[in-house]
Structures are given as C-alpha cells and as structure tokens.
Amino acid sequence: MAETKLLLRALSGETLPTPPIWMMRQAGRYLPEYRATRAEAGDFLSLCYNSDLATEVTLQPIRRYGFDAAILFADILLIPDALGADLWFVTGEGPRLSTITTEEDFAKLKGADDIHDHLAPVYQTVSNLASALPEEVALIGFAGAPWTVATYMIAGRGTPDQGPAHKLMQENNPLFEALIDRLTESTIEYLSAQIRAGAECVKLFDSWAGSLKSEAFTKYAVAPAKKIISEIKDRHPGVPVIAFPREAGEGYVGFAKETGANCVALDNSVTPEWATEHVQVDSCVQGNLASSHMVTGGQALVDETRHIVQAFKNGPHIFNLGHGITPDANPDNVQLMIDTVREG
Ligand code: CP3
C-alpha cells in the first residue's frame, strides 16, 4: 500500500507540495493543558514514567493543532537514569545527575542490555500512542546522541560550553570513550525497543554537537551516529532516522551520507539557501524557523515561515523550528505558523 503519512513520505525522499510540520517540544510548558497534566503527575520525571499521562501530553498538541507527527513524550536523560545514574530536575534550573568522572563511577553503571525494565513505561507510552493516534499522524521515537548525553553525565548538569566533558575527553580518553560506547550500545537498544513498540521513525538529538570540532566531531558525533543508524537499519529495515547535530555548521555537509540518516534537522544558525545547496542535495532536511518567532509572532513570523518553505520547496523538507519551543511562547503563534505553512 502506498504510504499516506506525509512525514514518512518526506523522509523517503519525496518532494511534497506542502511540507509536513511538527515542532520540537510541541508538548511543553507553553501549553496550559500540558501544565495541568504535569501538575497532576507531580513532577517532570513522574510524568515521563507515567504511560497514561505521557500519552495524554503527547496527544495534546495533535488535538490542538493537527500536526503531521507526534513525538513520544520522554527525555534524553532517561538513558542515564536507566543505566543507574541518579537523575532529578530542579524547577527553573534543569537536570541534575550523579557525575561520571572516574573508573569507579563508570563501573557502577548497568550494561546496555539491562535498561529495558526501567524503560518499560516509555515503551508502553509508545504502544499506547501507536493505537491512539489519528491514521495520518506519524509517531516519532527519539534518544539523545551519545556525546550530548555524556556531557550531562560527566558534568552532572547542563553546561554552557560542555567544559567538563571536553576535559575528560582530553585527560582520560579511555574512560570517555568507554562512556560513549556504553551510550551508543544503550541507544541502539532503546531506539530498537521503541520501534518494536510502534515508533515509525526515530530522531537522534545531538544538541551539543556544535562544540565538537574537526577530528572530535568525526569521532564523537559522526561515528556514534553512524553506528546507531546502521544497527537500527539492520534490525528494522525501512524505519527512517532523523539526525540533529545541532549547530554543526559545516559539519552538516555530508552528515547524512556519512551516517546513513534519512533526514538532517537544521538549527537556525544556517540559512535555508545555504542548506538547500549543501545539505538538501543529500537528504531530506528538517527545520528551521527560529523559536523566538513563537514568542514574538506577527508579520515577521509569517515572512520567515514563507521564506523557509519557499527555499526548501524543490526537495524533501519537513517544517520545524530550529530548536525547541520555549515556555514563554504564545500558543496562537504556533497556529499562525501552521496556517502559513499550509496556506498553499
Ligand atoms: O519534543 C518533545 O515534545 C518531546 C519530548 C522531549 C523533551 N525533551 C521533554 C522535556 C524531548 C525530545 C526532549 C529532548 C531533550 N531533553 C534534549 C535535546 C533537545 C534539546 O532541547 O536540545 C535535551 C538536551 C534534554 C535535556 C533536558 N530536559 C533539559 C536540559 C531540560 C531542562 C530545560 C528545560 O527546558 O526545562 C529538560 C526538561 C524537559 N524535557 C521539559 C520537557 C517538556 C521541561 C520540563 C518541565 O515540564 O518542567
């Protein structure tokens, strides 16, 4: 049967008259219904591990806006949690984790095959969604890329420059690489289980790829993505992968070819014209409206949305923001963006 979901058609390389659209962090604090469900769950992590409520918040933006894809509600830091690192979220500040800086810390982590019991509620959410979603809406699973997840595990929190991770890479490279390998194996296991539960596509978030340069980018952003994607393709032929090496700049060039990704997600530091010439020639692209437009709205939002749609119209394109929507965004601006993309 011919594929009818627009997102999957774009991912298979089709150029569509109107690009499919979804939004990073589409289930999030800018939506009053999300804030209500999160309050019911108690805290963010309890929401991630409550399959019924995680299903509900995943569906909220689909009901409100009719996006072409739903992204599983979970977090990239559930993998460290499943590996046995302590994880908690400080309201208004972000994640905190026990740190991995010595061989003793690393030795306490579980193996990649031992994560599934802990993550079973997430797989249940995926399976709930696979039956609950409208038939035209694609279901995206996801994980963090090893480098990005490692930056949080090494520092024990988010860092502006990923300094502690770069330091470990320099000062104890065998330990750093052992952590990258453990995360690579765990990510393969995790994404594979999401696909078995019903995810139709998976996305790999490398939010801090931009701080890796030259050889380090090749070793710790390209190589792990290539390994994860080739293993996913072996186990699940036909399931497309979106890679997001955020702020990779020139590193975006050739990224799809080198890793086997079907689509490269772009942040808004690159222009659509540049990306058409250098990235869309190899694969579908996703992006890349600045998320600040969801706060400011108005004619500038409309103009920039049209500009992006026009620039990418001669090749496969999925419309999205360049990064996640922020809590101060106005939900009406999201509707304006969608209407502009679909105005034809
Ligand atoms: O996109 C979606 O709607 C799916 C769910 C999703 C979340 N986080 C929910 C979330 C996804 C795909 C992520 C990915 C994620 N998580 C990334 C990579 C993408 C990116 O934004 O760069 C990263 C780096 C994380 C780690 C993380 N989670 C941080 C640093 C924070 C705190 C910062 C913040 O925005 O509060 C989170 C919390 C988080 N993850 C929230 C949501 C909806 C906010 C939690 C809340 O409700 O308080």
Side-chain angles (χ1 to χ4, degrees), residues 22-29 34 38 44 71-77 89 93-95 142 148 152 205 207-208 244 246 323-324:
W22 68 281
M23 198 174 64
M24 284 185 267
R25 294 272 171 105
Q26 62 190 21
R29 287 161 292 180
Y34 170 83
R38 185 181 181 285
F44 172 66
I71 183 161
L72 162 70
F73 189 85
D75 197 83
I76 66 163
L77 299 177
F89 281 80
E93 291 189 32
F142 75 92
T148 287
Y152 289 94
F205 285 88
S207 303
W208 300 117
F244 185 32
R246 191 170 73 90
H323 201 191

Side-chain angles (χ1 to χ4, degrees), residues 145-226:
W147 159 249
T148 287
V149 177
T151 66
Y152 289 94
M153 292 181 82
I154 294 164
R157 57 190 300 160
T159 46
D161 58 359
Q162 298 74 59
H166 284 284
K167 186 164 178 276
L168 190 69
M169 186 198 296
Q170 300 305 322
E171 293 179 358
N172 190 346
N173 192 260
L175 176 62
F176 174 80
E177 293 202 342
L179 180 59
I180 292 286
D181 287 348
R182 179 69 54 84
L183 289 169
T184 302
E185 295 304 326
S186 308
T187 304
I188 292 166
E189 282 301 312
Y190 184 45
L191 291 177
S192 191
Q194 291 180 30
I195 293 166
R196 287 196 300 271
E200 299 170 288
C201 150
V202 291
K203 179 167 174 185
L204 201 53
F205 285 88
D206 210 349
S207 303
W208 300 117
S211 80
L212 295 170
K213 301 295 173 204
S214 52
E215 195 198 350
F217 183 81
T218 307
K219 279 166 88 171
Y220 305 125
V222 177
K226 181 176 179 174

